[in-house]
């Protein structure tokens, strides 16, 4: 059953990291009377600010932001729990007559929030066996197995994300089907419109390089050092986040700081390609170049046209 919000439509801004999603979402929220809801799985963690490009309060321009800073870095992320929280937030925002503006690049979290989607159950015995194998053999072996059994799922999961690899393999073993086959067809639970931002790959790579440099200048290593004292290294999810995992290796003496920085940029470029691949498979996304004049205005046109099927301006 479709749910219709009082504000008629839910907006989601999606695309690869460093494409400018956060700024567009804030502008759209200001223009539509909206509030921002985070769909970045790592921005759910308290203290993970610099490395996740979490907007500082002044950058939010007075727009309320929800679903940030919910979990301690020692907690294991759960997309099912996020789904519950996101739907509560959508109901609260739309119930106030405001427009929910979802923003973030975690594709499964976007679908969890917007789609008529239920996640398969778990099998404690299978999960325990796979987690034991992860602990003894590492992520590389399990990721290779996932790539063989479900290449599409492997494309969407970071090779370092042991928890998500284990979950995908668990679902495959329980259901006898690829993990991606357990996700139903694209079907919104709400009246929703997704706006995707495109950036030419060479430019996106440069934007990522600049972002990583700015992270270091902003004190990213000190942020990771403080989070390490708070248990980041033991965090099954947060401890493997982009940038954080690389700096932890530097702090452990495994890499130099320059190696950690270079690997952060390289891993982020790979991740951006996975994000692009994930969102490109969704035929409902309305794509716009990130640098067109009046980007927010053009996005509003797309949103209106999707809502009432008016012809689009070319």
């Amino acid at each position: 059953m479709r749910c219709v919000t009082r504000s008629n439509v839910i907006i989601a801004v999606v695309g690869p990291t460093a494409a400018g999603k956060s700024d567009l979402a804030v502008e759209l929220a200001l223009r539509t009377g909206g509030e921002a809801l985070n769909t970045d799985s790592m921005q759910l963690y308290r203290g993970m600010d610099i490395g996740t490009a979490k907007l500082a309060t002044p950058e939010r321009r007075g727009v309320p932001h929800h679903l940030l800073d919910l979990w301690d870095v020692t907690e294991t992320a759960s997309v099912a729990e996020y789904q519950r929280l996101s739907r509560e937030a959508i109901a609260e925002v739309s119930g106030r007559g405001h427009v929910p503006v979802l923003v973030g690049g975690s594709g499964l979290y976007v679908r969890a929030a917007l789609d008529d989607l239920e996640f398969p159950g778990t099998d404690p015995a299978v999960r325990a066996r796979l987690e034991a194998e992860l602990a003894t053999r590492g992520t590389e072996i399990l990721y290779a197995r996932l790539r063989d059994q479900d290449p599409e799922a492997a494309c969407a999961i970071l090779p370092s994300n042991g928890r998500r690899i284990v979950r995908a393999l668990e679902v495959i073993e329980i259901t006898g089907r690829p993990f991606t086959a357990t996700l139903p067809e694209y079907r919104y639970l709400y009246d929703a419109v997704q706006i995707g931002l495109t950036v030419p790959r060479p430019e996106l790579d440069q934007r990522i390089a600049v972002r990583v440099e700015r992270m270091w200048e902003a004190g990213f290593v000190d942020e990771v050092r403080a989070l390490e004292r708070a248990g980041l290294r033991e965090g099954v999810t947060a401890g493997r986040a982009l940038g954080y995992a690389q700096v932890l290796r530097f702090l452990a003496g495994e890499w130099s700081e320059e190696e950690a920085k270079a690997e952060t940029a390289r891993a982020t470029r790979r991740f951006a390609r996975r994000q692009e691949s994930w969102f490109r498979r969704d035929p409902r996304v309305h794509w716009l170049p990130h640098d067109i004049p009046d980007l927010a205005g053009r996005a509003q046109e797309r949103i209106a046209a999707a809502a009432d099927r008016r012809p689009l301006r070319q």
Side-chain angles (χ1 to χ4, degrees):
M1 177 180 296
R2 290 170 61 81
C3 301
V4 180
T5 68
R6 285 177 57 188
S7 49
N8 293 326
V9 68
I10 296 171
I11 301 168
V13 181
V14 303
T17 189
K21 297 185 297 296
S22 296
D23 290 340
L24 175 59
V26 166
E27 184 61 31
L28 286 173
L30 289 170
R31 294 189 181 201
T32 62
E35 301 182 25
L37 280 65
N38 168 53
T39 58
D40 181 315
S41 61
M42 292 301 109
Q43 290 194 10
L44 290 157
Y45 285 99
R46 288 186 292 272
M48 293 177 66
D49 302 330
I50 297 172
T52 65
K54 195 179 294 177
L55 290 184
T57 299
E59 296 173 310
R60 299 176 192 179
R61 300 168 62 191
V63 172
H65 278 62
H66 306 276
L67 302 175
L68 295 169
D69 305 320
L70 300 181
W71 297 332
D72 185 84
V73 293
T74 58
E75 295 183 60
T76 301
S78 165
V79 68
E81 173 65 6
Y82 171 81
Q83 182 181 65
R84 182 185 67 80
L85 294 169
S86 65
R87 292 182 179 177
E88 289 178 357
I90 287 170
E92 290 173 4
V93 171
S94 60
R96 291 193 292 271
H98 294 179
V99 176
V101 182
L102 279 60
V103 55
S106 297
L108 187 58
Y109 281 60
V110 175
R111 291 207 64 190
L114 292 180
D115 280 359
D116 184 7
L117 182 152
E118 295 182 5
F119 295 96
T122 63
D123 184 314
V126 173
R127 172 70 64 88
R129 173 166 47 78
L130 289 169
E131 287 180 342
E133 186 176 359
L134 175 67
T136 57
R137 306 186 70 187
T139 60
E140 187 174 344
I141 297 297
L142 271 67
Y143 186 76
R145 186 186 308 162
L146 177 62
R147 193 168 54 232
D148 290 340
Q149 296 181 5
D150 189 349
E152 188 174 348
C155 183
I157 297 174
L158 284 172
S160 60
N161 194 331
R163 181 181 179 278
R164 286 195 63 192
I165 294 168
V166 164
R167 174 57 177 159
L169 290 172
E170 178 192 19
V171 170
I172 291 169
E173 187 166 339
I174 291 171
T175 65
R177 296 183 295 158
F179 176 69
T180 46
T182 66
L183 299 178
E185 63 184 18
Y186 295 109
R187 186 172 61 251
Y188 286 137
L189 187 65
Y190 306 92
D191 288 334
V193 180
Q194 295 182 75
I195 300 295
L197 293 183
T198 63
V199 185
R201 185 160 291 179
E203 183 179 352
L204 184 61
D205 289 349
Q206 179 59 31
R207 289 167 70 94
I208 289 170
V210 169
R211 171 175 286 190
V212 171
E213 285 294 335
R214 289 177 177 170
M215 284 163 50
W216 252 258
E217 292 169 2
F220 181 48
V221 172
D222 288 337
E223 176 175 284
V224 178
R225 188 178 283 114
L227 290 172
E228 182 183 25
R229 293 193 293 269
L232 176 64
R233 194 175 291 278
E234 289 71 45
V236 175
T237 306
R240 292 171 173 80
L242 280 173
Y244 294 88
Q246 285 76 18
V247 174
L248 284 174
R249 295 188 68 172
F250 158 61
L251 295 177
E254 299 175 35
W255 285 346
S256 70
E257 186 171 355
E258 283 303 313
E259 286 174 324
K261 184 190 294 186
E263 178 57 28
T264 295
R266 188 171 73 89
T268 304
R269 290 194 298 271
R270 292 199 309 267
F271 179 58
R273 284 149 178 70
R274 291 189 182 91
Q275 289 174 301
E276 288 178 316
S277 176
W278 174 280
F279 289 116
R280 285 288 182 185
R281 287 195 296 272
D282 190 336
R284 303 168 300 177
V285 177
H286 300 267
W287 293 97
L288 290 171
H290 77 104
D291 57 353
I292 58 172
D294 189 20
L295 173 60
R298 295 295 295 272
Q300 284 183 283
E301 288 185 2
R302 294 274 172 151
I303 294 162
D308 62 16
R309 302 298 187 266
R310 287 198 305 267
L312 294 174
R313 173 166 63 121
Q314 298 300 319

